[in-house]
Amino acid sequence: MTTFRILKLFISFESKELKLNYLISLKLPLKEHLTQISNVLVIGCGGAGLRSAIEIKKSGLDVCILGKRPKTDAHTVLAAGGINAALGNLDKEDSWEQHFIDTYLEGYGIGDPLKVEIMAKESPSLVKEIDKWGANFAKLKNGELDQRFFGAHKYRRTCYSGDFTGLSILKTLLKKSDDLKIPIYDNQYVTELLIRENTCFGAMSFNLSTSERTVHLADAVILCTGGHTRLWKKSSSRKNENTGDGYYLSLKGGCELIDMEMVQFHPSGMVLPEEIEGTLVTEAVRGEGGKLINNKGERFMKEYDPKRMELSTRDRVAIANYTEIIEGRGTKNGGVFLDISHKSKEFIIEKLPSIYRQFLEAQMLDISKSPMEVAPTAHYSMGGILVNPEDLSTSVEGLFAAGEVAGGLHGANRLGGNSLAEIIIFGRRAGIAASKYSKNIDQQMRSNKAIAIAHENINKFIKNGNELVRPLQNELRLIMWKYCGVIKNETLLLEGLSKIESIKTKLSDVDVRIDQYNCEDLALIFDLQSSLFSAKATIVSALQRNESRGAHQRSDFPL
């Protein structure tokens, strides 16, 4: 089936510079923002953004990174289990061709073959490179990188640092960025891409502590803003991250989105306590021998994939867990059991140190003695911005996208370990391409009108109102979980779409107040705006795909 695309949304900008009286009519002060200039602007300070910026700086250009989360706590830290590279250190038969086959076929044939090929070919060298930079992956006795099994991989190809691989990679990239003296401003909320005549020339942001605004002017912009999985009630993402910001910014700017219906529900998220419901329990638990068991004591994966069992694809294991729960074979807390207690405590602490501590701290549960309770959780956005797979360019001149925000690699199911490979491979490629673009342009267009509109779009939200953002966010998360969850159908999707439209009508009546010490409300209203936009795009896409394929399961179109 062909890839479904969301219809492009274009915003027209006048080519003439904005006149002074227009600014006066908006009642904006003439010097209401700071201005920052660089050759390339990177939006997002996770792994993809950092790897992009490193390549730009190495090319001799000025680069600036913006992030709304603290740079040491970007979403990359949640990618725990490992990073894929067909090194053949344990299974000599492995090859980039087999990595391609596993990724493309388990993505149900809708991934971009060229993008998959690039990842499979380039991951070995780049995984070795980042290990040499300091990622310190686990080693075999001969000094080669150790590799573990992950679901649906034919061979052991997942390199790792315990069960905190993403954190190890992020710290390594941060140190490299610091060595190169790359400026990272990690308290900035980007509200608008600045575009004139289908050419991106920067972005508008405000400081999350002071609300001070900055216009960032650049020859090229790279979006590395992550996905939208925080839109679901049970999510492995944390508060105020993965709210669909990049999808909203890009679509509003004139880009296309693909495969938005393909949202991966990871099989194992924590069930308790409620405040951290959905927190990821890494696939490394199953990779190291964890068993899934229902309330009858049955190892139920034999009914769903008897050959691969717990190492089946994420979509199949998630559907299996979901089915056991809804058919009454789950735990009293609405999960299934994931048991690693047949392994020694020493083994668990060596291979799964973070998960061991996670359950002790959250539940006082020793996983070396008792099974965990887990349930599916919204985990990864496999669709996203349509990009050229070779240079990560979009349909907007000067705008690039890399990492989870970009679509095309994973198709209908993402293999564990491919996301970390994706960020370093395509982050690097986006950095190279943006650098070439910056060096080759003779002049860069600017538009005062585009800047004024960006100011106006912030100003319109700052007012007294009768609604609060947090309840509306929670309402949207419940809607997406109930009407666009693991299993869906046309009736549910249409009802969910109607409820989203109802929330949208309240957007203009939200109470947003800022002062010099706090502007959380302002950030949250932009989060909500992006979330509503991304949620609608997801449901519209899900309605268009009249089949069940991978992570997209329609009960009215069964396999």
Side-chain angles (χ1 to χ4, degrees), residues 39 81 119 276 293 306 399 513:
N39 295 115
M119 179 201 66
I276 60 169
I293 299 167
L399 181 63
R513 310 183 192 200

Side-chain angles (χ1 to χ4, degrees), residues 7 21 26 38 50 70 86 146 150 166 175-176 183 209 238 245 267 290 301 309 317 325 375 392 394 400 491 510 528:
L7 194 62
N21 60 5
L26 290 177
S38 58
L50 292 170
D146 193 6
F150 254 29
K175 184 180 183 305
K176 189 73 171 179
S209 297
R238 302 161 296 187
D245 312 16
M301 278 308 298
M309 297 291 284
V317 182
I325 294 165
L392 289 306
T394 71
F400 304 80
T491 301
V510 172
L528 181 60

Side-chain angles (χ1 to χ4, degrees), residues 265-324:
F265 290 87
H266 196 287
S268 51
M270 293 183 73
V271 175
L272 295 171
E274 186 178 357
E275 59 268 23
I276 60 169
E277 182 181 31
T279 298
L280 185 67
V281 179
T282 172
E283 187 169 328
V285 176
R286 289 183 285 122
E288 297 294 349
K291 300 175 183 178
L292 288 165
I293 299 167
N294 62 22
N295 64 15
K296 296 183 177 182
E298 299 168 334
R299 195 174 171 189
F300 57 83
M301 278 308 298
K302 66 180 184 292
E303 303 297 332
Y304 299 90
D305 192 340
K307 184 178 180 180
R308 297 183 292 189
M309 297 291 284
E310 285 85 5
L311 292 179
S312 183
T313 56
R314 285 182 173 179
D315 61 302
R316 293 181 185 180
V317 182
I319 292 166
N321 288 358
Y322 181 79
T323 302
E324 293 295 305

